[in-house]
Amino acid sequence: MSARIMLLKRFLWMVLAVGWLFGGSAAADADTPVVLVLGDSLSAAYGIPRDAGWVALLQARLAEAGYPHQVVNASVSGETTAGGLRRLPKQLARHRPDVLIVELGGNDGLRGQPLPALHNNLRAMVEQGQQAGAQVVIFGMRIPSNYGPAYAEQFHRSFAAVAEATGAALLPFFLAPIALDEQAFLPDGIHPNAAAQPRLLDHAWPVLEPLFKTSTSD
């Protein structure tokens, strides 16, 4: 093999690697259904190998179950709903997803941001996804009651309110299966460890699979 061909192959590999790290993966074939995950550190595999995160496990499960979907992980650690809303139009135009997973809002709550802004940002993301032809699912979140019981409860209800108003699918509390298990988190007590990722996927799968079935039959 000539040195020129070897350099070309190395360049192509680097392009694919950068695509995976900054926006998901290489563009899917036109006939391949796309699942776009727009999330924060919970979906960006913070603190663990990227291929151990629940999004990577989702891609593997789809293949095992016979679904042709390609998963694009556009998650960014520390992202808020405002940041996701700014990034979403470009992601929709680039990937044209059949399914959009919105896993955002936790950082809004942890920063005590106004709940009307959370609601409006979530609703705008859902509506943009739907207008682009995607089925949308919202991953709900909870925050500790020390932020104030009223704020914490209204925060949690915001996800259901947006889902009800838009017809989006809803996973009420993404971290439900591990929330009370200290062993499921990294030492920071916030981010799930690698061992917890399959449990998160198992929890989300019953909500996600109907969307995969529908997008495959379209």
Side-chain angles (χ1 to χ4, degrees):
M1 181 180 296
S2 70
R4 183 176 181 180
I5 293 176
M6 291 181 65
L7 287 173
L8 178 60
K9 287 189 173 183
R10 181 174 296 180
F11 173 75
L12 291 174
W13 181 89
M14 291 176 64
V15 169
L16 290 173
V18 171
W20 170 251
L21 289 172
F22 299 99
S25 60
D29 294 337
D31 295 334
T32 302
V34 172
V35 180
L36 177 62
V37 182
L38 190 72
D40 52 31
S41 57
L42 299 180
S43 298
Y46 176 89
I48 61 175
R50 191 176 179 91
D51 61 3
W54 77 267
V55 177
L57 298 180
L58 172 62
Q59 180 70 83
R61 181 169 296 189
L62 284 165
E64 292 171 359
Y67 293 105
H69 299 64
Q70 177 180 335
V71 179
V72 175
N73 193 353
S75 302
V76 175
S77 293
E79 187 70 286
T80 62
T81 57
L85 181 58
R86 284 192 297 269
R87 292 194 300 117
L88 182 57
K90 183 178 292 185
Q91 295 294 330
L92 292 173
R94 178 183 180 188
H95 301 293
R96 299 181 180 180
D98 298 83
V99 177
L100 170 63
I101 299 172
V102 179
E103 183 277 297
L104 288 170
N107 289 311
D108 297 59
L110 293 176
R111 297 174 187 180
Q113 295 185 356
L115 295 178
L118 169 70
H119 181 279
N120 292 338
N121 292 339
L122 284 172
R123 180 161 184 165
M125 284 187 284
V126 171
E127 291 176 343
Q128 286 186 20
Q130 292 172 334
Q131 290 166 7
Q135 300 179 86
V136 184
V137 56
I138 303 168
F139 279 18
M141 188 54 56
R142 286 188 178 276
I143 56 173
S145 59
N146 59 4
Y147 282 80
Y151 180 88
E153 185 58 30
Q154 291 172 20
F155 168 84
H156 178 61
R157 290 179 180 176
S158 296
F159 299 93
V162 172
E164 183 177 356
T166 61
L170 174 68
L171 182 66
F173 180 27
F174 181 37
L175 298 183
I178 66 169
L180 300 180
D181 182 2
E182 295 181 359
Q183 301 303 313
F185 291 86
L186 296 173
D188 63 14
I190 297 174
H191 297 95
N193 57 32
Q197 302 298 314
R199 295 167 64 184
L200 294 176
L201 177 56
D202 287 344
H203 178 53
W205 183 255
V207 175
L208 295 175
E209 188 176 22
L211 306 183
F212 303 145
K213 289 180 177 179
T214 302
S215 57
T216 302
S217 62
D218 287 346

